[in-house]
Every structure is written in structure tokens, then in C-alpha cells.
Amino acid sequence: MDLGAPIQEVKGIGPKTAEVLHKAGIFTLRDLVYHLPRDYEDFQQAQNIADLKPGNVTVRARVEEIKTRRMRRNLAITEATLRDKTGAVRAVWFNQPYRAKQFEKDVEYYFTGTMALNYGRYQISNPSAVSSKDYDSKLNTYKIQPVYPARGSVKSQDFKKFIKTIDNNIALIPDMIPNFPGRADALFEVHFPENLAQARAGREYLATEELFSLLLAARLNREENQKLRTDPIKCDMEEFKAFVEKLPFKLTNAQRRATWEILQDMAADIPMNRLLQGDVGSGKTMVAALSAFAAAKGGYQTALMAPTEVLATQHAESLANLFKGQLSVALLTGSTKHKDELKKHIKAGEVDLVIGTHALITDDTEFAHLGLAIIDEQHRFGVAQRQKLLSKAHTMPHLLSMTATPIPRSLQLTIFGDLAVSILDELPAGRQPITTKIVSPNSTKQMWGAIEKELLAKHQVYYICKKIDDKGASELSSVKKEVQKIAHQFPNYNVAYLHGKMKPAEKDEIMTLFANGEIDILVSTTVVEVGVNVPNATVMVIADADQYGLSQLHQLRGRVGRGSTASYCYLINSNSDAPTRRLREIERSQDGFYLAEVDLKLRGPGELYGSLQHGALDLRIATITDTKLVHKADMLVKQFRQEGYNMLEYKELSDSVRKYQRLTTLN
Ligand code: ADP
Ligand code: MG
């Protein structure tokens, strides 16, 4: 089968369907066969209702008492009681009113769905249903059914049909990697497994194949990077030390160490590629500032790119203040006035440190001699944006990336082989720990009392909600509802809201007002998560806290406790049950690295490295923290190189590797 053939060649895919699939990035047969099931329905594994545990479940049961309730905004909720001989469980369908008439009395059905706790009761949400009459008669062909992720109007069932039409061809697909046989089998097993173990094995093959491309790309990049040369930047150490002496505070040891490592890197003729990892509040900005100082004194310009306008503005204000009389600092964002004039100054080399947002990387921003590029909250940027920034220098500049998200050591080695890492594992002295409390939704009174005291002391409050408004099925707290309640509760204070769907200018305005102390309570979605520094904010309330990952909770909590006054973080559980292990961990610890590890154990890598994985590395099948497969792929790569294969002779492979080469390059 020619994997490069267009999907229109598959029977059943007409122009309309093709258009939908094209929009989803599915163009060729290869794209189609690599559109893998996201799950399987395994009707052979029906469980007793009495034994059900939260997660994916299948039961064989009769339907009792089914009825549909109409809610506001046309939402229809159909509820049923499913019963087998061991017990009963609630099933709920959202906006599927036909369910109420679907089931015959005294016939058993297979229901497959996710069971979870919802307001104190277990329920199976939106289960699929198959009559046992249908199922039992098709027993031999039915086996396990794949469930495909839908793409627009193309549903799982459609994908099932398309893949079925080409099942004979799948068996003929050649291997992609010359020394790694078994691709056709793996694809077949993933789409048509006889049991779940087989599906898993097939998936592991495909994941290894994907990791192979990534690791080979990383290796090739590393070899390339070692050949790069740049201008060394040397600064007068006496002058540097004198500046550090005059700082308003004493550097932490970790800051000292990181700064020293950076200065040494920059003094070499190989471009620096260093990641500065440090927990929220560990003082990464100061390390960045000192690096920029060294670059300026060594005769080079620095560009510091931040993901939001508020953050860039904050950096610019504090650094302009820090460098008064020493360096010239400028802010370049979308709303900067007299941009053209500023750009002329930058081009003429009259600005030492340019701080900005994406505006920094527009085509007409040119530097006279950019020597150091710094990217704050680097995981917020795509590869293309990073590269655009680096391309502003005449030779490859030195690069410092900063992040509060820890990347495990093993991962740094395999994927970013040449990445140097500095860690800030120490908070500045004088920080007060943030008192963290889990609050049950029924007993928030005490919390509000404590908040009122903080407000009276002229401190500010963040209140984080999961949703923007009350659309959709879930009953989680929403910004629009809470802001009304809170404004009503505190008529003498300024209450405002913020969420990701607001226009950037509006968001910035609100954030600026909050930073200036003109808003007392800010009700917001997680958009406030990114690096802003409002030391006067002392209370962080997170509603439905159990709905977030630990790292995210930790990031959010890190918005307070940035000054020298005591701060508080309240985690409101979304139901009145006992708090989860996750919430208890965050109540107990303020160590971001520790929490990241717990998160990894409790939730798996997807949540924690989600952005790294999907945003930056674009892995679709594998996860980078699956060390067993990473190791296997690494061995295959070594073998591939040793046996002297020429990648260019394998078109599919070299296309794939090239894609990852673009993605994994940090230069
Ligand atoms: P992050 O690492 O989260 O980016 P910031 O750089 O925003 O942290 O620093 C948080 C706060 O700590 C800032 O107000 C900064 O001025 C202050 N700070 C940084 N280093 C020190 C230090 N060595 N001693 C005291 N305060 C410091
Ligand atoms: Mg920061």
C-alpha cells in the first residue's frame, strides 16, 4: 500500500469527508492508519456492579427508572438506574434525550463508560450501550471494539469503517525503520486487537517507532550544535562584583551559582544553551538581569522575551529601576507607543536590554549586536518563536531559557542532550511560608472571615474558578457566577474578573489595575498562573481545587507569598468528601520539585509534561517519561548509527526525523 496516497482513495471518503479530515491534518493513508483508537470497548469484560471502581467500566445490566430532565439553556439530563444481580448504579447522559426511549424492559445491555464521583455519588457518565441480544449474536466477530477520537463531523464509527475498508492493505505496510521489524503487525493489532494486551503491544511498537525519530533527531541536532561557534562575551569581573554588592538584597547561594555558570558559558565561543529551573518565587528574574548586565558590559545587547504583556511590563519596570544609570532598558510590546522610533534605537545598538512579548520577534525588529537571548516561562513558547528570537542575532546568540516546571534529569539527557541546567533550589530569605488549607464546600465561613481581615489590612485576593460561565454540563464554579456572589458579599471592595476569552488588551488592563492595587479581589480562571508578581496579594482561593494537577495548584499558589507578609492559600474541594491525596500533599509541602514528582506518580506524565509533550515535542503516541520505551528507542538509534544506515534512503523516516529535528533544536 502506498502510504502517501491521498485519503480520497479510500472507499467511503468523498470530497466532503476529505475536507473535514484535511482540516484535522489527515491527508494521506499514513495519517489515517496512524489515527489510533483512543480507547477500546471490551464487552467481554463486564464487571459486577457491586465491584465497580472509579475509571473505565463495563457492566451488563437492565435499565430501571429512566427519565430526562430539561435544564436551563436546553440542557437535557437523562438519568437511569442500571441493575444487575449484584447491585445498582446510576448512569447519566447529557443531551441524549433519546436514551429515555432506547431501552427495552427485561433486556440486558452492555454499558461502557467512565465511573466517577459527582457531588458525592458515583455515576457512569455518557456510557455507550449495546443490547446483549445484538452482542451475543455477533459474539465471534465483535471482540474488542476500537473507539477513535472524532474529528469534526467524522465520528469514531466512521473511522472504524474507513480503517476496516483498508484492513487488507495494513498487513502490507513496510517497516519505517530498517532494523526494527513489525510495523504492519503493530498497526493491525492496534486497530483490530483480539484482546487488550495485544492492542497495548501494538501501541508500544508504534510509540517506540515515534521515539526513535525523536531521539535520532535529537542526536543529529546535538552533532550539529557542537559545530556551532559564536562570539564569546567577557565582562569585567570587578565591575560585575561591584554591581552585585550594591543590589537591594543579598543573592541566594543558588542565584550566585547559576549566575556564575551562565557567565562562564557566555565567555566561551560555543553558544550557551542553558535552562534555568527554579520554583516559583526563587528569583529567576534576578539571574536573568545579572546575565544581561554581564552581556551589556561585555558589549552585547540582550533580548528578554516573556509570554504576556503584563509580565514583560513588570520585568521592564523593575529592571529599568535596577539598572538606572548603568544600562538602557526598553519595553517592546504590542501596545508600545512610538514603536518605530524604539526599533531604530535598538537597531542602532543604543538599547542594552530589550524586554518584550512576541512583538520582539516581528520581522522589522533588528538588533545591532544581540549576544544574549533570554526566554522567560519558556514552555509557553513554541519552537518557531524561540528560533525567530535567536535569528535576530548575526551569529548564534547565547540562550538562557527559564522555567518553573521541572524536567526530570533522565529526560534532559535523552532528549535535550546538550542542554545545560542550573537549578534555583532555594528561596530568598525572609519569605514567610504560605499557610495552605483545604476547605470543604459546606464550610467556607471561616475562610471568608479570614479573607475579610486580609482585605481590611489592604491586602488583595485571587479567587480561581475552573470555568468562565455556566454553559456545559458540569456544575463546577464559574468566574461569572462567583464574581457576582463575591461582589454582593463585599460591596465596599473592588471586585473584577479575568479569563482567557477576554481580549488581550482587556486582560492586560485588569492585570495592571490589580498589580497597582486598584482591584481588591480578582476572580479569574487559571490565566493568572503565568509569572506575575503582585507582592501585596496575600490570599489565593482555588475553587474546585481537586480538579487541578498538583503542579498547577503549586503554580497558582505561587502567585501569593511573594512579599514579606504572611499569605494564605485556600483549596476548596468540589465535593464534601474527604480530600484527595493530591490536596493533602499540597497542603503539606511547598517544594515544587517534590510536588512535581508526586504528581508524576499520581497522575502520570501526561498532565505534568503536557505542554512540553504536545506543544514542543509533538509526540502523539509515546510519552517521553516512559523510560522503558525511551531506552529501547535509544538502543535502536545507536544501532542504526553504528550499522551506517543512510537515513536519506528511507523517505518516510527522514521526513519524520526532520520534523523532530526542527522541534528538538533548542538553538
Ligand atoms: P520567579 O523565579 O518566580 O520568576 P521572581 O524573579 O519573580 O521569581 O522573584 C520573586 C521576588 O523575589 C521578586 O519580588 C524579587 O525581587 C525577589 N527576590 C529575588 N531574589 C531575591 C533575593 N536574593 N532576596 C530577596 N528577594 C529576592
Ligand atoms: Mg518569573
Side-chain angles (χ1 to χ4, degrees):
M1 169 163 88
D2 177 9
L3 284 176
I7 42 170
Q8 288 92 317
E9 288 186 12
V10 177
K11 212 175 123 234
I13 300 188
K16 265 208 185 118
T17 309
E19 205 184 308
V20 178
L21 292 176
H22 287 170
K23 273 203 195 111
I26 300 173
F27 295 93
T28 61
L29 289 185
R30 179 182 201 281
D31 300 334
L32 185 62
V33 294
Y34 274 85
H35 186 72
L36 304 185
R38 67 170 161 76
D39 205 352
Y40 297 90
E41 291 176 340
D42 182 1
F43 295 111
Q44 298 166 110
Q45 302 284 328
Q47 296 150 275
N48 288 333
I49 286 178
D51 301 336
L52 292 182
K53 293 200 182 68
N56 286 340
V57 298
T58 298
V59 299
R60 180 177 167 138
R62 277 172 229 283
V63 178
E64 291 180 0
E65 298 174 47
I66 185 160
K67 59 170 185 294
T68 297
R69 287 187 287 143
R70 295 276 164 188
M71 312 288 283
R72 61 206 139 73
R73 272 190 287 274
N74 283 337
L75 178 66
I77 295 185
T78 307
E79 287 171 298
T81 305
L82 312 181
R83 186 177 294 282
D84 70 6
K85 55 188 181 306
T86 68
V89 65
R90 200 162 90 109
V92 178
W93 289 273
F94 297 104
N95 283 339
Q96 303 177 15
Y98 63 89
R99 293 288 187 190
K101 301 213 171 59
Q102 182 186 1
F103 303 107
E104 289 176 56
K105 250 193 155 147
D106 300 322
V107 171
E108 288 187 323
Y109 292 81
Y110 288 91
F111 294 93
T112 297
T114 311
M115 185 165 88
L117 201 57
N118 194 295
Y119 284 84
R121 287 167 75 185
Y122 281 103
Q123 65 178 43
I124 307 178
S125 299
N126 292 321
S128 65
V130 177
S131 149
S132 64
K133 285 197 291 195
D134 284 351
Y135 169 70
D136 294 341
S137 67
K138 289 184 199 156
L139 195 58
N140 291 326
T141 52
Y142 218 91
K143 290 178 190 161
I144 291 179
Q145 292 298 306
V147 182
Y148 292 93
R151 289 291 180 261
S153 55
V154 183
K155 299 282 180 274
S156 172
Q157 286 301 331
D158 304 315
F159 279 110
K160 214 148 116 179
K161 219 171 57 205
F162 302 148
I163 300 272
K164 185 81 196 130
T165 16
I166 54 169
D167 60 352
N168 287 329
N169 303 337
I170 289 181
L172 301 175
I173 292 177
D175 296 329
M176 180 169 86
I177 303 165
N179 54 2
F180 187 39
R183 174 155 74 148
D185 288 347
L187 282 167
F188 201 86
E189 287 169 358
V190 164
H191 290 295
F192 311 106
E194 284 181 9
N195 52 55
L196 290 178
Q198 205 178 58
R200 204 174 311 122
R203 211 179 163 86
E204 280 193 3
Y205 176 96
L206 299 174
T208 312
E209 188 188 70
E210 188 178 49
L211 288 167
F212 178 94
S213 298
L214 171 67
L215 294 184
L216 180 54
R219 177 180 275 249
L220 296 176
N221 277 343
R222 215 173 308 158
E223 289 170 12
E224 286 300 306
N225 288 351
Q226 273 154 13
K227 291 186 216 142
L228 291 173
R229 288 297 175 268
T230 191
D231 301 337
I233 304 181
K234 297 205 165 82
C235 91
D236 176 355
M237 279 322 286
E238 292 308 314
E239 193 180 10
F240 188 83
K241 279 184 191 147
F243 181 72
V244 171
E245 289 298 305
K246 283 204 223 89
L247 288 177
F249 41 65
K250 207 166 154 280
L251 292 182
T252 65
N253 287 328
Q255 282 173 317
R256 253 171 225 287
R257 199 178 332 116
T259 308
W260 176 241
E261 286 165 347
I262 292 165
L263 259 50
Q264 286 198 309
D265 279 2
M266 291 200 303
D269 67 349
I270 301 167
M272 169 170 78
N273 184 6
R274 187 169 281 276
L275 179 70
L276 178 62
Q277 273 185 21
D279 211 344
V280 280
S282 58
K284 294 184 287 292
T285 318
M286 182 47 82
V287 176
L290 292 174
S291 314
F293 181 83
K297 295 298 172 188
Y300 288 86
Q301 289 172 297
T302 297
L304 191 162
M305 185 161 72
T308 63
E309 183 144 354
V310 194
L311 196 53
T313 310
Q314 228 172 36
H315 284 334
E317 280 168 6
S318 68
L319 299 188
N321 192 31
L322 182 77
F323 290 136
K324 213 178 289 162
Q326 293 268 8
L327 310 188
S328 72
V329 178
L331 173 67
L332 178 57
T333 70
S335 55
T336 300
K337 296 199 181 79
H338 312 300
K339 261 194 237 86
D340 292 339
E341 207 171 310
L342 174 58
K343 284 180 182 179
K344 268 185 211 137
H345 291 304
I346 297 172
K347 192 176 174 183
E350 292 154 9
V351 183
D352 298 310
L353 170 57
V354 187
I355 299 167
T357 52
H358 302 83
L360 276 179
I361 50 178
T362 53
D363 284 332
D364 60 347
T365 312
E366 293 171 66
F367 289 80
H369 37 69
L370 179 63
L372 172 63
I374 304 176
I375 302 182
D376 194 15
E377 311 283 346
Q378 69 97 26
H379 57 284
R380 298 264 159 178
F381 291 95
V383 180
Q385 292 166 327
R386 287 200 306 243
Q387 265 163 352
K388 197 93 196 270
L389 182 64
L390 295 172
S391 73
K392 299 285 173 196
H394 301 297
T395 58
M396 182 62 77
H398 296 283
L399 170 65
L400 177 66
S401 317
M402 307 200 287
T403 181
T405 310
I407 302 177
R409 185 88 193 110
S410 58
L411 197 64
Q412 291 164 18
L413 282 175
T414 36
I415 295 172
F416 306 111
D418 61 342
L419 180 72
V421 179
S422 297
I423 294 178
L424 299 186
D425 50 5
E426 196 184 336
L427 291 183
R431 287 285 163 78
Q432 298 225 22
I434 304 163
T435 309
T436 306
K437 283 201 183 108
I438 302 173
V439 178
S440 151
N442 311 328
S443 46
T444 54
K445 209 169 157 199
Q446 224 181 359
M447 173 187 89
W448 286 115
I451 289 176
E452 187 153 20
K453 269 195 206 138
E454 287 299 306
L455 289 169
L456 281 171
K458 300 243 178 315
H459 294 151
Q460 293 160 278
V461 177
Y462 293 101
Y463 191 104
I464 307 297
C465 301
K466 190 77 193 171
K467 298 190 304 172
I468 298 175
D469 50 36
D470 281 332
K471 293 202 188 82
S474 83
E475 299 171 55
L476 300 173
S477 62
S478 74
V479 167
K480 295 212 171 139
K481 199 159 81 192
E482 298 301 319
V483 78
Q484 282 184 10
K485 276 203 247 167
I486 294 171
H488 187 73
Q489 192 176 348
F490 294 102
N492 300 327
Y493 292 95
N494 285 331
V495 184
Y497 68 88
L498 183 71
H499 59 71
K501 292 235 172 92
M502 288 159 65
K503 294 202 184 78
E506 275 179 290
K507 276 192 280 192
D508 275 314
E509 194 189 326
I510 295 289
M511 248 354 271
T512 309
L513 287 172
F514 189 70
N516 294 341
E518 289 166 61
I519 292 170
D520 303 298
I521 306 177
L522 183 62
V523 183
S524 169
T525 56
T526 54
V527 291
V528 296
E529 185 189 332
V530 183
V532 285
N533 194 23
V534 184
N536 189 48
T538 56
V539 181
M540 166 63 67
V541 182
I542 306 174
D544 301 314
D546 46 327
Q547 304 288 319
Y548 297 88
L550 270 183
S551 292
Q552 203 176 10
L553 290 173
H554 181 65
Q555 281 285 328
L556 286 168
R557 177 173 59 183
R559 295 305 110 221
V560 298
R562 301 177 80 84
S564 54
T565 35
S567 293
Y568 304 88
C569 174
Y570 296 100
L571 306 167
I572 307 180
N573 223 355
S574 69
N575 58 64
S576 47
D577 285 19
T580 57
R581 158 113 191 260
R582 242 178 319 132
L583 290 191
R584 270 186 264 112
E585 289 286 2
I586 189 139
E587 189 179 38
R588 179 167 94 83
S589 170
Q590 281 185 43
D591 177 344
F593 284 79
Y594 167 78
L595 291 171
E597 257 173 46
V598 175
D599 219 14
L600 188 62
K601 270 198 214 113
L602 294 180
R603 306 226 304 180
E607 302 290 341
L608 186 51
Y609 303 109
S611 60
L612 181 62
Q613 188 160 317
H614 300 298
L617 296 180
D618 197 29
L619 287 172
R620 296 184 177 187
I621 311 169
T623 50
I624 32 178
T625 43
D626 190 335
T627 36
K628 199 182 87 195
L629 297 188
V630 169
H631 186 72
K632 171 129 192 242
D634 195 40
M635 299 288 292
L636 286 169
V637 166
K638 284 200 181 109
Q639 221 177 322
F640 183 84
R641 299 288 282 167
Q642 269 161 18
E643 290 173 15
Y645 286 103
N646 178 1
M647 191 177 76
L648 299 177
E649 286 169 23
Y650 304 89
K651 178 155 186 338
E652 197 190 348
L653 178 63
S654 58
D655 285 351
S656 164
V657 170
R658 232 175 262 131
K659 178 188 100 180
Y660 284 112
Q661 248 187 306
R662 282 195 308 273
L663 294 175
T664 56
T665 177
L666 280 153
N667 285 320

